[in-house]
Amino acid sequence: MDTLKGQFLVATPDMSDERFAEAVIYLVAHGDDGAMGLVVNQPLPDMNLADIFAEIELAEDAEPIRVPDRLLHQHVFKGGPVESSRGFVLHSSDYFRDGNSFAVDDDITLTATLDVLRAMIEGKGPERSLLALGYCGWEAGQLENELRHNGWLTAERSDELLFSLPAGRKYDAALAAVGVNRATLSPVSGNA
């Protein structure tokens, strides 16, 4: 099986599930057993990393730490409908904890423990990061079926699209990466 791990899924007008309308999903796993990904272009309203940092207990007797400004206003994303209260940090591979981090590829890592948030607050975390609550999951064969029914386009990973672009521009950028735009993206498509 060819894996789509490390690529984007870009929702088409044929996507029947409204939760994924105009979604851009980064696939962190894909194989014979199914797939897992995070929506990277749907920020949660009125929530940013500063809100998350204020809610978690990092250490009872720790000295006050000044959170780097670049993190304070960073969006928290709606990663998907599965386990929507669980946090997943998708980040550059310059941060890795054995047993806690999962290498998606040579450049991107996923960590789903508080360790990465502690490191970020202390200025020892990854250079680039994206926090998502929840994830998207597919059973064996389910994603392939959705692809056959034109629910998704696939696009190669771009660090700019993943980490730098404003959330509202990611869908159009992902479409452009596969050579289409909203005007040319037809709700009626076929398979070759």
Side-chain angles (χ1 to χ4, degrees), residues 1-9 25-31 34-37 104-105 143-144 147 152-157:
M1 161 183 250
D2 290 334
T3 184
L4 296 174
K5 178 175 124 177
Q7 295 186 37
F8 291 113
L9 293 177
I25 297 174
Y26 181 73
L27 284 176
V28 296
H30 178 234
M36 176 188 173
V104 178
D105 61 29
L143 177 57
E144 291 76 13
L147 287 162
W152 302 104
L153 298 172
T154 59
E156 295 294 319
R157 177 181 56 82

Side-chain angles (χ1 to χ4, degrees), residues 12 15 80 85 105 113 124 147 151 159 161 174 181:
T12 70
M15 171 49 62
S85 62
D105 61 29
T113 61
K124 300 174 186 173
L147 287 162
D159 285 351
L161 196 152
N181 61 42

Side-chain angles (χ1 to χ4, degrees), residues 103-178:
V104 178
D105 61 29
D106 290 341
D107 300 316
I108 304 297
T109 301
L110 177 73
T111 304
T113 61
L114 289 177
D115 295 348
V116 68
L117 295 176
R118 287 185 184 104
M120 290 164 69
I121 287 173
E122 295 169 358
K124 300 174 186 173
E127 181 180 323
R128 294 167 297 161
S129 63
L130 179 149
L131 173 63
L133 296 180
Y135 69 92
C136 304
W138 292 265
E139 295 179 356
Q142 183 181 1
L143 177 57
E144 291 76 13
N145 187 49
E146 291 177 14
L147 287 162
R148 275 191 297 281
H149 288 93
N150 302 309
W152 302 104
L153 298 172
T154 59
E156 295 294 319
R157 177 181 56 82
S158 152
D159 285 351
E160 178 184 17
L161 196 152
L162 187 57
F163 296 117
S164 301
L165 282 178
R169 293 186 43 212
K170 288 184 179 186
Y171 183 72
D172 289 327
L175 289 176
V178 294

Side-chain angles (χ1 to χ4, degrees), residues 19 24 41 47 60 67 82 85 96 114 124 127-128 141 160 168 172 174 180 182:
R19 297 175 296 178
V24 177
N41 70 323
M47 184 180 285
E60 294 177 11
V67 177
V82 182
S85 62
F96 190 90
L114 289 177
K124 300 174 186 173
E127 181 180 323
R128 294 167 297 161
E160 178 184 17
D172 289 327
V180 297
R182 290 174 193 259

